[in-house]
Amino acid sequence: MLSVLMSTKEHLGSYQYRMKLKSIESGLVANLLRENDFSVALLHGTPTVLDFVEATGAALMVSGQLELVGRTPREEEVRCLLQWLSAHMEKEVFATDSLVTCLPEAAAYSDGASGLLALRFSKSKEDYMLWFRAEQVQSVNWAGDPGKPVDISGDQQRLMPRTSFAIWQEMVRRKSTPWLDVEKAAVEDLRLAILELVFRKADELGALYQNLERSHAQLDAFAYVASHDLKEPLRGIANYAVMLTEDYGDQLDEEGRNRLAALSRLSQRMDDLLNSLLEYSRVGRVNFADNEVDLNQVVADALETLRLRIAEQRTTVRLLGSLPMVRGDRSHLGEVLVNLISNAIKYNDKAEKWVEIGADSVSVFVRDNGIGILPEHSEQIFQIFRRLHGREEFGGGAGAGLTITKKIIERHGGRIWMESTPGETTTFRFTLAARDAG
Ligand code: ADP
């Protein structure tokens, strides 16, 4: 009986067929080396997994994402099938030419997918590649086979297809052409090749990440040394400017005195910039505590620090409900809130200024009714020493506050971004590590 159903591929000779499978496997691996995306590499390149074991359809399940190509059961049906496989697959490769005998529900789609060859990429992850083969009757119909007389084992009768097609159809109903051992072995080989590739990529990424961390650390160290060492000669320059003004000021004309005053101003500004750089590198270098922190308390402390400024600017501060408990470094989180609240007060040209502080299911936020920020500046504001205004406008500033804030948030495993209606309002939002999001 099996000999009746035997694929023509076997007649190619198993060696030749194995070589063909090997070359398609190399093609798939080459696709994977080029593309980082599994679906692009396996389903949409040249060759595809459909060329591999001559299936009529295929499904790829990676990280919960299911993609179908060719003739397959519907998405919900494939998901049910995957659940069944997850509970029943003992080895990493499973093959049947009659899925319906294992899973009766498969009768619903047995015309398009009677045979299944399943590959699980790894035991710990529910990622699969499935190949389907249509019911034999149909594949035979479109293939125009049987064209030759066939043998029925057992009795020695010769059976001619023209006269016996009905019986023959009955025998192959809900069955596909069988999966050959050489095909199952090729699929297992493909799995090993993919695993090796994934491990190699993980290794490369790990090395890249370590390099990145090292360069960050070196940059922080460099920023620290540079700003620290530059402060010394700068102090000398500033002192000479003061001495010149005191000792020789009356020998200079007004123009000369103005130039000396500019020298002092510029030294002061440079000192501010170096202090910001020092602070930035400090935030990158120091260890952060990992404590249970009450954000309500952190906000209360920040408001206390800014009490005078809030009063001077006649700003109303509203606390919208209570804030979550989070894990982190209390004093650095304090720095974040002081920076955000002081900006909310500073970049505000309204007669009645207000700041609102609260948290929703996504993030903690600080909102103001100030000048707003254009969407095209939403990245720029987080870059060091980038200001959107003239140096003296809105009370001045070094342009490092938001850069430092972002660094602190990222060291807490969170993210910061802003939303704004220019001229009306700005909201800065941040998350910390996943657990405080609620
Ligand atoms: P600084 O306040 O020292 O200039 P920051 O890094 O804190 O530096 O802010 C960078 C820029 O982002 C500011 O110069 C300002 O133009 C803009 N900005 C920050 N916060 C706000 C806000 N709440 N509303 C409008 N603009 C803001």
Side-chain angles (χ1 to χ4, degrees):
M1 164 75 186
L2 252 187
S3 65
V4 179
L5 303 173
M6 225 161 229
S7 142
T8 50
K9 287 183 295 294
E10 276 210 330
H11 301 304
L12 274 175
S14 86
Y15 175 75
Q16 251 173 302
Y17 189 46
R18 204 169 329 126
M19 286 303 104
K20 184 183 158 210
L21 289 171
K22 201 78 206 148
S23 114
I24 297 174
E25 178 198 316
S26 309
L28 291 172
V29 171
N31 290 352
L32 278 162
L33 274 169
R34 258 194 320 273
E35 296 290 343
N36 277 325
D37 189 314
F38 257 56
S39 126
V40 176
L42 296 177
L43 306 184
H44 305 292
T46 317
T48 78
V49 286
L50 280 183
D51 303 311
F52 191 40
V53 284
E54 294 181 14
T56 30
L60 175 69
M61 174 72 149
V62 174
S63 308
Q65 298 274 1
L66 178 64
E67 202 176 332
L68 309 174
V69 285
R71 190 169 176 196
T72 64
R74 285 178 297 131
E75 180 166 339
E76 321 77 86
E77 292 167 335
V78 176
R79 285 192 186 272
C80 289
L81 173 59
L82 285 166
Q83 268 177 15
W84 181 83
L85 284 170
S86 165
H88 292 88
M89 246 171 111
E90 280 165 10
K91 293 195 184 143
E92 306 316 327
V93 176
F94 170 83
T96 174
D97 58 2
S98 176
L99 185 55
V100 76
T101 54
C102 321
L103 181 70
E105 296 94 292
Y109 48 81
S110 63
D111 53 341
S114 284
L116 168 72
L117 177 57
L119 169 68
R120 183 166 55 194
F121 291 116
S122 94
K123 231 181 208 126
S124 53
K125 281 193 81 190
E126 297 290 303
D127 292 341
Y128 295 86
M129 182 78 240
L130 308 181
W131 287 267
F132 299 104
R133 269 186 188 161
E135 196 172 28
Q136 170 87 343
V137 179
Q138 311 222 347
S139 40
V140 166
N141 280 345
W142 57 252
D145 201 8
K148 294 186 248 161
V150 287
D151 244 335
I152 296 290
S153 50
D155 58 24
Q156 293 305 309
Q157 229 184 319
R158 300 286 284 174
L159 195 66
M160 297 302 291
R162 204 173 298 153
T163 53
S164 61
F165 198 62
I167 308 165
W168 191 79
Q169 269 197 339
E170 198 44 47
M171 287 189 305
V172 297
R173 253 181 76 76
R174 291 181 175 162
K175 264 188 156 221
S176 70
T177 49
W179 304 96
L180 305 174
D181 284 346
V182 49
E183 289 171 328
K184 289 181 238 169
V187 159
E188 176 62 40
D189 272 1
L190 177 69
R191 184 180 88 90
L192 293 178
I194 290 178
L195 280 188
E196 198 187 306
L197 207 78
V198 168
F199 284 132
R200 208 159 73 214
K201 288 211 169 177
D203 253 14
E204 283 167 14
L205 272 180
L208 212 70
Y209 184 70
Q210 270 179 0
N211 275 344
L212 210 74
E213 285 229 302
R214 209 171 306 129
S215 345
H216 268 172
Q218 281 170 357
L219 235 125
D220 284 337
F222 173 75
Y224 174 75
V225 170
S227 41
H228 188 265
D229 290 5
L230 285 173
K231 273 178 83 80
E232 193 53 39
L234 182 65
R235 201 168 303 130
I237 295 170
N239 286 344
Y240 273 111
V242 172
M243 284 191 297
L244 274 174
T245 314
E246 284 174 5
D247 299 346
Y248 300 93
D250 47 1
Q251 293 175 34
L252 294 170
D253 60 8
E254 184 151 359
E255 178 69 12
R257 280 194 295 276
N258 284 346
R259 288 187 185 176
L260 270 182
L263 185 63
S264 294
R265 241 189 359 262
L266 287 172
S267 318
Q268 182 56 51
R269 169 136 187 87
M270 186 139 175
D271 196 48
D272 291 345
L273 291 177
L274 289 177
N275 284 338
S276 301
L277 201 58
L278 266 176
E279 173 60 8
Y280 176 72
S281 72
R282 193 190 61 79
V283 165
R285 283 178 301 114
V286 296
N287 289 330
F288 274 30
D290 180 22
N291 296 325
E292 195 79 8
V293 178
D294 182 350
L295 273 187
N296 298 293
Q297 201 54 55
V298 176
V299 168
D301 292 349
L303 293 176
E304 182 55 32
T305 307
L306 296 169
R307 195 155 54 95
L308 267 179
R309 221 177 299 172
I310 294 169
E312 261 169 33
Q313 298 295 320
R314 287 193 288 278
T315 306
T316 308
V317 177
R318 291 193 279 266
L319 300 177
L320 307 182
S322 101
L323 300 177
M325 295 290 291
V326 297
R327 279 208 80 80
D329 184 295
R330 180 172 172 155
S331 82
H332 282 111
L333 289 174
E335 219 174 311
V336 165
L337 280 149
V338 168
N339 279 341
L340 294 180
I341 300 169
S342 65
N343 277 351
I345 302 167
K346 188 157 90 169
Y347 297 104
N348 200 323
D349 53 356
K350 305 294 182 318
E352 290 182 15
K353 305 178 183 28
W354 55 254
V355 178
E356 290 176 344
I357 303 158
D360 53 30
S361 60
V362 181
S363 56
V364 177
F365 61 84
V366 177
R367 179 175 297 138
D368 61 61
N369 64 336
I371 59 172
I373 299 172
L374 292 169
E376 57 264 39
H377 294 143
S378 61
E379 298 289 324
Q380 206 170 308
I381 51 170
F382 292 105
Q383 289 166 9
I384 196 154
F385 302 145
R386 293 296 286 269
R387 303 196 72 228
L388 304 178
H389 312 280
R391 200 169 293 151
E392 307 306 331
E393 277 179 90
F394 297 102
L402 284 179
T403 320
I404 292 168
T405 299
K406 183 167 184 244
K407 191 156 191 169
I408 295 173
I409 296 290
E410 286 175 352
R411 285 205 58 186
H412 278 85
R415 202 165 76 76
I416 180 164
W417 67 101
M418 76 85 200
E419 297 154 359
S420 176
T421 307
E424 286 179 33
T425 179
T426 305
T427 307
F428 277 90
R429 290 183 175 276
F430 66 85
T431 59
L432 299 172
R435 91 183 253 292
D436 76 297

